Amino acid sequence: PTSVPTNTPTPSAEPITPELTPEPTPTPASGDMAVHFLDVGQGLAIFAQSGGQNLIYDGGDRDTSRFVVSYLQQQNVETIDYLISSHYDADHLNGLIGCLNAFDVENVICADYEHDSQTYQSFVNTANQKGLTLQHPTVGTEFTFGTGKFTVLAPSSIDSGDSNDNSVAIKLENGQNSF
């Protein structure tokens, strides 16, 4: 069984501000994997737990960084085993900088290119200050994650014209379930 909690947007003409006090969800049972899709508005943030390990894939923008960190704290996260940046646009990267500052991080996975933004420089500098090496795995590289695994699907090459085309994409698997 896979848990997929989400924040359900309410119809409104007003912009939606993420809650800063999310409800904790139960820790997955042995053999289970929980995948949480966090509502960060523009951008992306996905959190997974399995076998006592934690993975965050993207972290949303600056406006939602505190929400992402708070959400992980509510899930009793102390260590992030895999922090994955799809690419270096601010609406994916800022929350990861917050996670680097708030948690012990074991592995940082990201695309092998440089971005000309202050956000990218902050990400690199924060990882370096924490003594972390930015890993740039090739397509097909597999990582064990809790009771499952994930495989790097992209990028197979780097395009200097569009950072979205350089995104690290993964397939997360646990038993018969995959994301």
Side-chain angles (χ1 to χ4, degrees), residues 11 13 19 56 115 123 128 176:
E19 297 176 21
I56 184 84
H115 198 274
F123 175 72
N128 287 338
Q176 298 299 312

Side-chain angles (χ1 to χ4, degrees), residues 25-50:
T25 56
T27 302
S30 177
D32 287 348
M33 180 180 290
V35 178
H36 310 245
F37 296 89
L38 283 66
D39 183 5
V40 293
Q42 173 68 33
L44 184 69
I46 301 172
F47 171 61
Q49 293 179 296
S50 178

Side-chain angles (χ1 to χ4, degrees), residues 86-87 110-113 136-140 152-169:
S86 65
H87 63 290
C110 48
D112 192 10
Y113 75 101
H136 312 293
T138 58
V139 170
V152 176
L153 303 177
S156 57
S157 63
I158 299 298
D159 177 359
S160 62
D162 185 355
S163 61
N164 286 298
D165 290 343
N166 298 328
S167 292
V168 171

